[in-house]
Amino acid sequence: MAKASPATDKCINRRAVLKGGTALAAGSALLRGGYAEAQPRANRLTALFAYVGAFTTPERKGHGGGINVYRVDPASGAWSHEQLLEIANPTFLTLDRAQRFLYSVHADLEEVSAYAIDKQNGRITALNRQSCGGKNPVHLSIYPTGRWIITANYSAGTVGVVPIEKDGNLGPRSDLVNLPGEPGPDRKQQASSHPHDAVFDPSGGFIAVPDKGLDRVFVFRLDAASGKLMPNDPAFVATRAGAGPRHIAFHPQMPFAYVINELDSSVTTYRFDAQRGSLQPIQILPSIPASYTANNTGAEIAVASSGGVVYASNRGHDSIAIFAVDRRDGTLKPVGWAPTHAKSPRFFCLDPAAKILYAANADEGYSDQQNTDTIVPFRINQANGMLTPNGQVIKTTSPCTIVFSGV
């Protein structure tokens, strides 16, 4: 196996660092009740494991085998293969906070799956699966108490809630909601509702759901006792027609959120009211350079843990866009674009210290050469957020999601 860049900690969640607590009083009681917390902690590591999900089916132009587990040397950054667990299209992964369990959704299926993690060797063992209530779930998030999983079901136009039991197994789905609205103007990509993300705000009190098909970002609350979703008031914010909002990232310290719009290759800055759960658009910028005239779609977005930089990926331009955050008003200023040296960076993630960015280059239909089968690590300039590849490349088939677990 090829070697990777130094990685001294696990990957940060690509949306925000959840800080625990919620607007619903039942949250703290559930946490005391022994459920796994929702996000992995950042510790001084003696061992680091990378879990890489992949597209596996011809329909997705994928040829990955399932979930690959790699041991990452914390000092040298070298990756060595530990395990392949064969399973169809594990296209988004997340960990519980204690890093005891791994959870996945699966493209073109209607389920979420659970796995136990062996802390000594990083290997995973399948626990069980449950229906998430809709075909082609593309994202999942864990409630801060660790009691509930929220899934964005792309093809079905629904958001599902699945409980996590104390032993890490999944229980029967507790809720399923449809997303209402008129489709956007793109007849192919916006024929119906297509939620692509379901992300908790830093307090855990609200869930934001960008809907690519309806040009809306929906906001929900979750009843922590029953696992039922409740529309916020206001229930959504409309985007520019044809924008196709895909993913959202909350600022870890300030009341702002950033959305990558897939179809018009733009990034929208929102002012976030943490009391009301409302989003107010205040800025829209292109995610690609003005000089780029070919086709492109936006994919991933993340805020560095420092709060000073926002990153967004472009498929077509095949780059990571780098934006500086204005500390006064939360707006963005483009400072550069880093080529990913491979096609279609569908996913990327940062380590918690924002020292390394990993770009996963695989996508299911936006490029004739989508399967470049690489994860490319970049060193992050701490002064300005600029990215420099360290010259190492991790070869792995059709990678589309990465999470890191450390002990």
Side-chain angles (χ1 to χ4, degrees), residues 14-15 53-55 60 90-92 107 136-139 154 196 212 246-247 260 262 297-301 312-316 318-320 340 342-349 358-366 370 372 374 398-401:
R14 64 192 176 95
R15 310 299 192 273
F55 294 111
R60 292 289 170 176
T91 46
F92 197 85
N136 193 19
V138 291
H139 182 266
Y154 180 89
H196 213 299
K212 169 183 159 182
R246 177 182 171 95
H247 287 167
I260 179 77
E262 177 176 333
T297 56
E300 183 60 280
I301 193 163
S313 65
N314 292 298
R315 299 170 295 182
D318 297 330
S319 66
I320 305 295
T340 55
K343 294 290 184 179
S344 295
R346 177 187 176 91
F347 178 85
F348 67 85
C349 63
Y358 295 90
N361 300 292
D363 206 343
E364 78 280 27
Y366 287 89
Q370 60 89 16
T372 47
T374 62
S398 301
C400 60
T401 180

Side-chain angles (χ1 to χ4, degrees), residues 294-376:
N295 292 330
N296 185 79
T297 56
E300 183 60 280
I301 193 163
V303 186
S305 57
S306 67
V309 181
V310 169
Y311 297 99
S313 65
N314 292 298
R315 299 170 295 182
H317 190 245
D318 297 330
S319 66
I320 305 295
I322 306 158
F323 299 93
V325 178
D326 189 310
R327 290 288 188 172
R328 297 166 298 176
D329 61 12
T331 57
L332 304 180
K333 177 182 179 181
V335 294
W337 286 265
T340 55
H341 302 284
K343 294 290 184 179
S344 295
R346 177 187 176 91
F347 178 85
F348 67 85
C349 63
L350 291 77
D351 75 345
K355 294 181 179 179
I356 302 292
L357 181 147
Y358 295 90
N361 300 292
D363 206 343
E364 78 280 27
Y366 287 89
S367 169
D368 291 336
Q369 296 178 283
Q370 60 89 16
N371 286 311
T372 47
D373 295 340
T374 62
I375 297 170
V376 179

